[in-house]
Amino acid sequence: MDKDSQEQLSNILGLLYNIDDNQVLIYRKLQSIHDDIEAIKKYLQLSETHEE
C-alpha cells in the first residue's frame, strides 16, 4: 500500500472512531437522563403514598 492510500485509510478510521466516541457520549447522556427520570418517578410515588 502506498503512502497516500495508507493516509486515506487512517483518516477514514479516525472519522469512524470519532463517530463512535460521540455516540458513546450521547448514549451516556441519555442513560443519565433516564436515571434521573426513574429517580423522579420513585420520588413522586413516595410523596403520593405519604399524602394518603
Side-chain angles (χ1 to χ4, degrees):
M1 194 174 353
D2 65 349
K3 196 169 172 140
D4 282 345
S5 301
Q6 213 167 4
E7 199 171 308
Q8 279 183 321
L9 185 61
S10 76
N11 286 343
I12 290 167
L13 288 173
L15 287 173
L16 287 175
Y17 285 122
N18 203 13
I19 288 169
D20 281 350
D21 288 347
N22 289 334
Q23 285 176 334
V24 167
L25 289 176
I26 290 168
Y27 176 77
R28 285 187 187 147
K29 187 63 100 177
L30 287 173
Q31 194 67 48
S32 165
I33 291 168
H34 176 75
D35 292 347
D36 290 347
I37 290 171
E38 289 303 310
I40 292 167
K41 280 184 190 171
K42 282 179 187 160
Y43 173 77
L44 289 174
Q45 285 172 347
L46 286 174
S47 62
E48 279 177 12
T49 55
H50 284 300
E51 285 173 12
E52 289 172 3

